[in-house]
């Protein structure tokens, strides 16, 4: 099971992640959604991304991005664009113009929301199933995706906590995406990140 830690906004945490012996496969940055307390303004983002990603992939989290923001970030060292609220054609255009791998994000309240993945199979590299919370850490019924055979890797988000039974997520997803679960009072907490990364390493070693 791979890991994405999202909402990184400071260099100390980012260096800790990239230099960790069990570094996350994906590190996410909130690029164009100022409502989020984890949002990183473009000039700060450019400085932050000078930190060598080493073994991780950098992910730009984008909510219905316009051409302006896509042009501003096109030369930054992102490996993936995680896109919310775009239709398949919009994502196809982004993928082709900017030559990035795409994580298509679906916000889920019911099974109908999950089933939309079929429309995006041709334009997605990874499917992400998240809550309807956006900037709020909210959960959804993870079991909704349990019995579906996806033709892409599946990433799971939605208020995952370090004290959850993380083993159960391995049965339904390839990647788990955590943000608020490794924070204290809204700020990334390196001690919680350490616990989380070590727990995932242990789970992976046992299976």
């Amino acid at each position: 099971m791979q890991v994405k830690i999202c909402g990184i906004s400071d260099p100390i945490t980012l260096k800790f992640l990239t230099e960790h012996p069990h570094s996350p496969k994906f590190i996410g940055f909130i690029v164009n959604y100022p409502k989020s307390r984890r949002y990183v303004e473009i000039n700060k983002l450019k400085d932050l991304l000078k930190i060598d990603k080493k073994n991780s992939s950098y992910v730009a989290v984008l909510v219905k991005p316009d051409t302006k923001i896509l042009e501003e970030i096109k030369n930054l060292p992102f490996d993936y664009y995680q896109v919310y609220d775009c239709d398949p054609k919009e994502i196809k255009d982004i993928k082709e113009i900017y030559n990035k791998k795409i994580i298509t994000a679906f916000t889920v309240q019911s099974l109908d929301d999950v089933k939309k993945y079929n429309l995006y199979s041709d334009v997605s590299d990874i499917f992400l199933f998240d809550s309807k919370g956006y900037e709020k850490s909210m959960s959804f019924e993870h079991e909704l995706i349990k019995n579906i055979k996806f033709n892409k890797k599946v990433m799971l988000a939605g208020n995952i906590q370090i004290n959850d039974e993380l083993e159960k997520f391995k049965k339904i997803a390839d990647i788990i995406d955590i943000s608020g679960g490794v924070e204290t009072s809204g700020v990334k907490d390196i001690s919680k990140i350490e616990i989380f990364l070590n727990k995932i390493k242990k789970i992976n070693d046992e299976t």
Side-chain angles (χ1 to χ4, degrees), residues 104-178:
T104 300
F106 303 92
T107 57
V108 177
Q109 201 160 10
S110 69
L111 191 56
D112 287 341
D113 295 321
V114 175
K115 288 179 178 176
K116 290 175 186 170
Y117 81 90
N118 272 314
L119 302 172
Y120 292 82
S121 286
D122 293 340
V123 296
S124 306
D125 296 281
I126 297 171
F127 295 136
L128 166 64
F129 296 98
D130 198 354
S131 73
K132 293 281 187 185
Y134 291 88
E135 75 276 10
K136 304 181 187 74
S137 291
M138 290 171 59
S139 59
F140 72 95
E141 185 51 64
H142 294 142
E143 295 293 310
L144 287 172
I145 68 170
K146 187 176 182 180
N147 297 316
I148 298 175
K149 301 293 183 198
F150 296 100
N151 61 348
K152 307 285 179 185
K153 280 194 169 183
V154 171
M155 185 182 287
L156 187 66
N159 202 27
I160 292 169
Q161 302 294 319
I162 60 172
N163 293 324
D164 289 346
E165 291 177 49
L166 298 172
E167 299 87 346
K168 70 183 179 184
F169 297 125
K170 192 162 188 177
K171 297 173 183 172
I172 56 176
D174 305 290
I175 308 150
I176 57 174
D177 181 347
I178 194 166

Side-chain angles (χ1 to χ4, degrees), residues 17-193:
L17 290 174
T18 58
E19 293 172 4
H20 196 281
H22 318 313
S23 55
K25 169 62 182 163
F26 305 90
I27 300 174
F29 305 84
I30 312 299
V31 171
N32 76 326
Y33 197 65
K35 287 182 185 178
S36 172
R37 65 174 181 269
R38 306 171 185 114
Y39 165 69
V40 186
E41 185 271 327
I42 189 71
N43 289 324
K44 185 180 175 186
L45 183 66
K46 288 176 180 176
D47 282 341
L48 199 55
L49 294 181
K50 290 174 184 172
I51 293 170
D52 184 356
K53 67 181 85 167
K54 300 189 188 301
N55 298 316
S56 299
S57 295
Y58 282 175
V59 180
V61 178
L62 298 157
V63 179
K64 201 161 183 64
D66 58 19
T67 302
K68 181 176 181 291
I69 189 65
L70 291 168
E71 283 295 309
E72 283 180 335
I73 68 170
K74 69 180 180 181
N75 295 319
L76 297 180
F78 286 118
D79 304 283
Y80 289 81
Y81 287 175
Q82 176 179 314
V83 184
Y84 288 81
D85 297 347
C86 284
D87 64 37
K89 184 182 184 309
E90 289 170 325
I91 290 182
K92 183 172 185 283
D93 290 345
I94 291 169
K95 189 177 178 74
E96 289 178 354
I97 293 167
Y98 298 101
N99 192 30
K100 298 292 181 183
K101 293 179 180 176
I102 298 291
I103 301 169
T104 300
F106 303 92
T107 57
V108 177
Q109 201 160 10
S110 69
L111 191 56
D112 287 341
D113 295 321
V114 175
K115 288 179 178 176
K116 290 175 186 170
Y117 81 90
N118 272 314
L119 302 172
Y120 292 82
S121 286
D122 293 340
V123 296
S124 306
D125 296 281
I126 297 171
F127 295 136
L128 166 64
F129 296 98
D130 198 354
S131 73
K132 293 281 187 185
Y134 291 88
E135 75 276 10
K136 304 181 187 74
S137 291
M138 290 171 59
S139 59
F140 72 95
E141 185 51 64
H142 294 142
E143 295 293 310
L144 287 172
I145 68 170
K146 187 176 182 180
N147 297 316
I148 298 175
K149 301 293 183 198
F150 296 100
N151 61 348
K152 307 285 179 185
K153 280 194 169 183
V154 171
M155 185 182 287
L156 187 66
N159 202 27
I160 292 169
Q161 302 294 319
I162 60 172
N163 293 324
D164 289 346
E165 291 177 49
L166 298 172
E167 299 87 346
K168 70 183 179 184
F169 297 125
K170 192 162 188 177
K171 297 173 183 172
I172 56 176
D174 305 290
I175 308 150
I176 57 174
D177 181 347
I178 194 166
S179 185
V182 288
E183 293 178 352
T184 298
S185 303
V187 177
K188 288 291 180 288
D189 184 328
I190 282 173
S191 64
K192 287 184 177 178
I193 293 171

Side-chain angles (χ1 to χ4, degrees), residues 1-2 166-168 170-171 199-207:
M1 184 164 59
Q2 294 177 325
L166 298 172
E167 299 87 346
K168 70 183 179 184
K170 192 162 188 177
K171 297 173 183 172
K199 282 181 82 170
I200 295 295
K201 174 72 165 59
K202 186 168 183 284
I203 290 166
N204 287 336
D205 286 349
E206 288 172 351
T207 52

